[in-house]
Amino acid sequence: MVFRTLTQRVSRTHEAWLTLLLLLVVVVPLAGLLWFVNRAAQNERFAVRQKLLEVYRAHLALAQERLDDRWKQLGAELDAQANQQAAPALFAKWVLAGTADAVVCFDPAGHPVYPQPARVMLTQSLAPGWTEAQSLEATDLPAAAKAYARLAGTTTNLNAMATAWQAQVRCLIQARQNDEAIAALAGGLRDNRFPQATDGQGRFIAPNAMLLLIELLQASQPDQAQVWRQALQTQLLDYDSGLLASQRLLLMRELHRLFPQAAAFPTLAAEALAAQYLERDATNRHVPVLQMSPLPGVWQFASASGRIVLLHRTETLPARLRAACYSPGLPAEVRLDFIAPGHEKEGALLSLPAGPQLPGWRLALSLNDQKLFETIANQQIGAYLWGSGLVGAAVVMLSLLALGMVRRQLALTQLRNDLVANVTHELKTPLASMRLLVETLLASPQLEEQTTREYLALIARENIRLSRLIGNFLTFSRIERNKYNFDFHPVPVAAIVNEAVAAMHERLNAPGCHFEMRLAPELPALIADADALVTTLVNLLDNACKYTGENKRIGLEVRLEQGQVRFAVSDNGIGLTPRDQQQIFKRFYRANPLRSPTVGGCGLGLSIVQFIVTAHHGTIQVASEPGHGSIFTVSLPAGETAAGTPKHP
Ligand code: ADP
């Protein structure tokens, strides 16, 4: 017993050390893993930033290259077209295409050709009789009008004719003869000759007359006014008509003032800007680079020869620059910005000079999402964390598995130690008593028959005890190695009971033991392993004898209850506490061995009984009271075949 306790304590210490070791095996790699993940996360943040910066730098360089190429190409294209197309048409084309906010065209000598500068006053051709008609204006306007009308009808010079017509209309308006003025204007405008007539400054007379007609018609005949408005608008947008820029600008403004909704001119702002530019000193245009123009907030870019100058307002320029270096491959998370000379861009990720065509300008890349690097790095780190989490979980699981295996191994070792300790101890007692009895017999000079018989009976009892003990050890060993095979057959209950009682005959019929057996009539046969059931009953009857003092009253009752055959083994022995009743079926468990020191046993019998009963799909119950005895009841299903061999508890 002492030996067993000692081995148990030693084994528990081993187990504690082993658990600690396994914990270390888990904790140390896990801590290392966490450290690595942490380092990897830091490195990942840095690496992601570097990697993305590299990619963005390449994109930026590409954009810069495109921009430079585009502007060089633009300079050459402008010159080529200046040689092929008339300046007003070029102006309209580039402005309407959105290439610039305004365009100024020069001739090879450097004189502006569109918009044209104001012309020197030409000598106006006047019809003969002009002075007489003019002198009438001071006294009789209607008469003057008539005189001018006559002049217009008689003269052959086109410009003189148109001037007389203009004067006629002027007199009619001054004389408040609007209807006559309208009729005169409409009549003249329908005359095919007038559209080509110009005044002393080279301005076409017809478009001005048309504007006058529209103004006169607006109050009385708005529909007609709209018809003429449409005609004038078409003329003003015709850049092949030879109309002077200053006249076009003036008429566009006037028409737009009269009809703010209907008369919208897409080139009006450009005309105004170009005119403003020419009013300033526009001589510094021979460098084909983007530079500030003399107008505030306006940039100029001249073609290689300086014949075409594109004007850009500061607010519209970035969109054009962006379009020039448009790169479909530019990642969506970044934005291309243009930084004007002397400006800074806050939060720009990278910047590069915009190229020789745009001196002082810089191209910059900014992040649309300032947390982009962090987000991408976090995605990567998330993957690391998942990976390491899985590895960690695997390590923990494997360690738990290993721990379980080691525990099982330890339990097995413990079992083996217990078995060895018990076998040696339990074998020693019967062997020693047998040896003593034999030696006593041998030592006596003369053998008395009575004494010899008594001694031999004692030796036989010890022998039986020894055999049962060894039988239990062997059974237990087979169970532990899963080598216990049952042989199920239909067996009559009486046969099992009789064999068990016969095996216990001597003890049950010993003096001081009263054994009573009650078998219910007509018990059904059991499908069982007969030997195993005999072992069960023998163990229970043996315990009943062992754990009962003088005046034993042992009973064996077999009855049929609820379709089950019940074997109840009762005694009036020392009984069991409720706690012991729960433990006694565990192997090697002995309930307070000090209370029955004389009886042998190693706590295997009941565990074997339970194993056999379970294999027969039955149950075992104990009802006991300390000092009053116990009843062990085995219930087996009547006539049922056992399905297999259960694991030993
Ligand atoms: P053992 O070889 O010690 O008898 P068992 O497994 O048969 O082993 O019994 C386990 C323990 O249960 C015994 O040591 C004993 O303390 C208790 N026990 C078994 N049967 C009885 C009984 N009929 N009366 C009192 N105690 C019993």
Side-chain angles (χ1 to χ4, degrees):
M1 202 63 218
V2 175
F3 177 69
R4 209 171 85 188
T5 322
L6 203 70
T7 54
Q8 274 175 356
R9 201 177 302 150
V10 170
S11 149
R12 265 201 293 276
T13 322
H14 270 153
E15 201 177 330
W17 273 111
L18 222 113
T19 313
L20 197 75
L21 194 78
L22 271 165
L23 263 174
L24 277 176
V25 167
V26 175
V27 169
V28 171
L30 275 183
L33 195 68
L34 281 176
W35 183 80
F36 273 119
V37 169
N38 186 32
R39 290 302 300 244
Q42 283 172 10
N43 287 346
E44 192 59 37
R45 281 199 178 91
F46 182 72
V48 162
R49 196 183 164 83
Q50 289 304 107
K51 235 183 277 169
L52 286 178
L53 279 181
E54 235 165 75
V55 174
Y56 295 155
R57 200 166 284 127
H59 277 291
L60 195 63
L62 191 71
Q64 182 214 41
E65 207 175 301
R66 276 172 203 266
L67 184 67
D68 199 42
D69 283 353
R70 177 72 194 113
W71 281 66
K72 264 192 208 132
Q73 195 188 334
L74 186 67
E77 219 173 299
L78 289 172
D79 276 338
Q81 294 206 6
N83 290 326
Q84 289 164 6
Q85 267 183 295
L90 269 182
F91 174 94
K93 179 181 162 184
W94 291 106
V95 168
L96 291 175
T99 311
D101 289 318
V103 179
V104 183
C105 306
F106 297 87
D107 62 13
H111 302 121
V113 282
Y114 197 88
Q116 307 90 332
R119 282 214 200 141
V120 188
M121 193 75 166
L122 302 172
T123 327
Q124 194 162 10
S125 350
L126 295 172
W130 177 269
T131 327
E132 291 79 1
Q134 204 173 25
S135 61
L136 270 174
E137 264 188 65
T139 52
D140 187 354
L141 281 168
K146 278 184 191 133
Y148 282 131
R150 263 195 310 279
L151 284 181
T154 50
T155 185
T156 48
N157 180 297
L158 182 62
N159 286 351
M161 193 193 295
T163 314
W165 168 62
Q166 234 184 342
Q168 176 201 355
V169 173
R170 191 180 63 237
C171 291
L172 287 172
I173 291 172
Q174 280 174 6
R176 299 189 187 280
Q177 294 179 346
N178 279 5
D179 291 344
E180 287 77 0
I182 288 169
L185 279 168
L189 286 171
R190 283 196 194 99
D191 189 323
N192 284 340
R193 293 166 302 170
F194 281 149
Q196 295 312 314
T198 54
D199 66 6
Q201 286 171 303
R203 292 176 302 202
F204 285 119
I205 290 172
N208 283 11
M210 218 181 274
L211 181 71
L212 193 59
L213 176 61
I214 291 166
E215 278 181 313
L216 290 173
L217 285 173
Q218 235 189 340
S220 55
Q221 302 171 53
D223 290 350
Q224 275 303 305
Q226 287 293 349
V227 174
W228 286 106
R229 191 264 309 155
Q230 184 64 51
L232 181 57
Q233 206 167 326
T234 313
Q235 250 190 47
L236 292 177
L237 284 172
D238 177 7
Y239 276 80
D240 295 325
S241 65
L243 195 67
L244 285 180
S246 54
Q247 189 184 5
R248 177 178 276 121
L249 177 61
L250 183 97
L251 289 172
M252 276 182 172
R253 276 185 176 149
E254 283 303 301
L255 205 58
H256 181 61
R257 184 180 57 76
L258 293 175
F259 303 93
Q261 299 295 326
F265 295 96
T267 51
L268 175 57
E271 292 281 356
L273 183 63
Q276 266 181 323
Y277 176 76
L278 280 178
E279 278 165 23
R280 303 287 181 99
D281 177 22
T283 48
N284 183 24
R285 61 170 200 282
H286 294 291
V287 202
V289 294
L290 186 72
Q291 57 182 324
M292 205 68 200
S293 81
L295 295 173
V298 178
W299 296 83
Q300 67 176 56
F301 177 75
S303 66
S305 69
R307 283 188 61 191
I308 307 279
V309 173
L310 301 183
L311 299 178
H312 301 277
R313 293 186 190 280
T314 305
E315 44 300 356
T316 51
L317 188 57
R320 285 194 194 109
L321 292 173
R322 198 166 290 127
C325 56
Y326 169 70
S327 157
L330 194 71
E333 65 272 10
V334 287
R335 196 180 58 244
L336 202 56
D337 288 316
F338 298 89
I339 310 171
H343 286 73
E344 290 289 328
K345 170 88 186 133
E346 270 193 26
L349 197 64
L350 293 168
S351 77
L352 274 182
Q357 308 284 313
L358 294 94
W361 283 79
R362 289 186 77 77
L363 263 174
L365 268 189
S366 311
L367 283 178
N368 286 329
D369 173 10
Q370 287 300 326
K371 290 191 177 147
L372 180 78
F373 291 147
E374 194 73 4
T375 315
I376 296 178
N378 283 348
Q379 282 168 0
Q380 287 290 332
I381 293 164
Y384 286 153
L385 284 176
W386 267 105
S388 56
L390 286 177
V391 171
V395 168
V396 170
M397 289 228 332
L398 286 174
S399 308
L400 285 176
L401 259 168
L403 188 69
M405 279 167 70
V406 169
R407 275 220 169 116
R408 263 198 300 282
Q409 205 54 45
L410 278 175
L412 222 67
T413 313
Q414 167 83 40
L415 197 70
R416 234 171 265 145
N417 289 344
D418 285 354
L419 200 62
V420 171
N422 280 291
V423 168
T424 34
H425 179 74
E426 291 307 316
L427 290 184
K428 238 164 56 190
T429 323
L431 280 175
S433 36
M434 280 196 291
R435 200 179 64 223
L436 191 73
L437 288 166
V438 170
E439 277 172 5
T440 316
L441 279 179
L442 289 174
S444 61
Q446 227 170 9
L447 291 175
E448 245 179 69
E449 194 191 336
Q450 176 67 21
T451 323
T452 311
R453 276 187 184 282
E454 274 175 24
Y455 275 37
L456 284 176
L458 282 174
I459 292 171
R461 217 170 69 193
E462 287 304 316
N463 200 299
I464 289 170
R465 185 177 156 195
L466 200 59
S467 302
R468 195 162 301 136
L469 210 66
I470 289 171
N472 269 352
F473 283 142
L474 290 177
T475 309
F476 175 75
S477 164
R478 280 210 300 277
I479 291 171
E480 277 305 313
R481 285 181 288 126
N482 281 335
K483 288 275 172 359
Y484 196 105
N485 292 322
F486 290 95
D487 186 12
F488 290 96
H489 287 294
V491 206
V493 173
I496 298 164
V497 171
N498 289 339
E499 204 179 324
V501 172
M504 287 294 296
H505 173 78
E506 223 168 297
R507 308 232 4 223
L508 295 174
N509 290 310
C513 178
H514 175 78
F515 174 64
E516 200 180 325
M517 181 168 79
R518 266 187 292 161
L519 246 70
E522 294 175 16
L523 285 168
L526 285 171
I527 295 175
D529 184 316
D531 288 345
L533 285 194
V534 171
T535 306
T536 301
L537 288 184
V538 167
N539 265 302
L540 294 178
L541 289 169
D542 187 38
N543 281 352
C545 293
K546 275 198 303 190
Y547 301 110
T548 307
E550 304 291 308
N551 297 324
K552 302 179 202 287
R553 297 187 70 79
I554 315 275
L556 170 59
E557 190 190 349
V558 188
R559 59 185 187 274
L560 183 67
E561 247 178 45
Q562 295 165 356
Q564 292 194 312
V565 178
R566 296 210 164 130
F567 299 81
V569 177
S570 58
D571 63 61
N572 59 336
I574 56 173
L576 289 156
T577 61
R579 188 180 164 274
D580 284 338
Q581 288 172 37
Q582 286 176 358
Q583 307 286 325
I584 48 174
F585 296 101
K586 288 182 183 166
R587 56 199 173 195
F588 300 120
Y589 184 83
R590 303 203 68 210
N592 197 1
L594 296 177
R595 277 167 65 204
S596 47
T598 51
V599 296
C602 56
L604 284 180
L606 285 181
S607 72
I608 292 170
V609 166
Q610 194 183 45
F611 175 79
I612 292 170
V613 170
T614 312
H616 283 76
H617 294 259
T619 55
I620 179 160
Q621 282 167 333
V622 59
S624 182
E625 209 180 315
H628 289 93
S630 317
I631 305 173
F632 285 83
T633 310
V634 170
S635 306
L636 297 177
E640 199 174 291
T641 317
T645 310
K647 239 191 120 30
H648 190 56

